[in-house]
Amino acid sequence: MEQDIQEVLISEEEIERHVAEIGRQISRDYADKNPIFVGVLKGCFIFMADLMRHVTVNCTMDFMSVSSYRGTTSTGAVKINKDLNEDIEGRHLILVEDILDSGVTLNYLKNYLSVRRPASIRVATLMDKPARRKADIYADYSCFEVPDAFVVGYGLDYNENYRNLPYIGILKPEVYE
Ligand code: IMP
Ligand code: MG
């Protein structure tokens, strides 16, 4: 697995430091608000698990699973594979994503969920790739701004592989070919 990685972009130590900082920030901003964290599977799973352990206020969590039809349609349609179990009306919602790329997925989700009248919706992402943004959406909390390269590890995959790498790495180009 490691031989497919060209370069470590973000080390385990750096990730730990930045995730802890975002956790503290969210804890300050959401004191007494009992937020609900909504993780977007599968990419969020490691980030969300680490983030939650740095959140010191009462909160609940739930998960959604979506697939986007990137490349096959221009509508930016997103398919909901697993919806929320919890009622979010009146709740302060924090969407947790691995990476904000074109923004199409999160933009769709934000609109989709806002119909259920949550008190607020914010976005927390591990990484932000602003260079590729298509939708009008930004991250309220972001651990790292990354360049326009395909990254894997710490939950992120290429063809479902590499999610278990403990750091964020850039894949060798020959892996795609
Ligand atoms: P968006 O709708 O273009 O913002 O898509 C975001 C989703 O695409 C993320 O949640 C990831 O699952 C996936 N994605 C985007 N960039 C990368 C990357 O560099 N590595 C792995 N997955 C990525
Ligand atoms: Mg994802």
Side-chain angles (χ1 to χ4, degrees):
M1 180 171 67
E2 301 238 328
Q3 72 275 8
D4 295 343
I5 303 302
Q6 182 174 74
E7 178 195 334
V8 176
L9 185 65
I10 312 169
S11 70
E12 286 184 68
E13 293 73 22
E14 258 184 294
I15 294 173
E16 159 65 23
R17 214 154 25 86
H18 283 75
V19 171
E21 176 52 36
I22 294 294
R24 281 192 291 273
Q25 226 174 295
I26 290 175
S27 302
R28 279 196 299 272
D29 295 350
Y30 286 83
D32 304 318
K33 286 191 167 158
N34 188 207
I36 176 168
F37 289 85
V38 172
V40 185
L41 293 170
K42 303 172 199 167
C44 78
F45 84 108
I46 299 182
F47 171 47
M48 182 134 158
D50 283 346
L51 176 67
M52 299 318 299
R53 281 175 279 188
H54 292 284
V55 170
T56 55
V57 299
N58 270 325
C59 62
T60 62
M61 54 203 86
D62 203 349
F63 295 91
M64 292 186 77
S65 171
V66 302
S67 33
S68 40
Y69 295 107
R70 291 198 291 172
T72 61
T73 173
S74 57
T75 60
V78 173
K79 183 172 171 243
I80 308 288
N81 300 318
K82 185 222 169 287
D83 208 323
L84 295 176
N85 297 323
E86 305 298 316
D87 183 9
I88 57 168
E89 184 167 355
R91 298 291 305 275
H92 292 282
L93 200 144
I94 302 171
L95 280 170
V96 181
E97 253 285 34
D98 52 358
I99 188 164
L100 192 47
D101 188 23
S102 73
V104 169
T105 311
L106 267 189
N107 195 240
Y108 179 91
L109 273 184
K110 238 180 141 169
N111 292 329
Y112 178 79
L113 294 173
S114 63
V115 175
R116 300 179 196 174
R117 301 162 173 274
S120 67
I121 304 184
R122 279 187 184 175
V123 171
T125 187
L126 176 68
M127 288 177 280
D128 190 0
K129 243 191 229 179
R132 286 171 45 93
R133 196 63 34 82
K134 284 199 215 108
D136 183 24
I137 188 162
Y138 64 93
D140 300 282
Y141 304 97
S142 168
C143 296
F144 302 99
E145 192 167 299
V146 295
D148 185 11
F150 196 81
V151 293
V152 294
Y154 197 73
L156 289 95
D157 73 305
Y158 172 64
N159 279 348
E160 293 301 325
N161 284 110
Y162 310 105
R163 292 193 196 273
N164 53 320
L165 277 176
Y167 53 82
I168 305 283
I170 297 178
L171 262 192
K172 283 182 182 167
E174 54 258 44
V175 178
Y176 301 89
E177 289 150 12

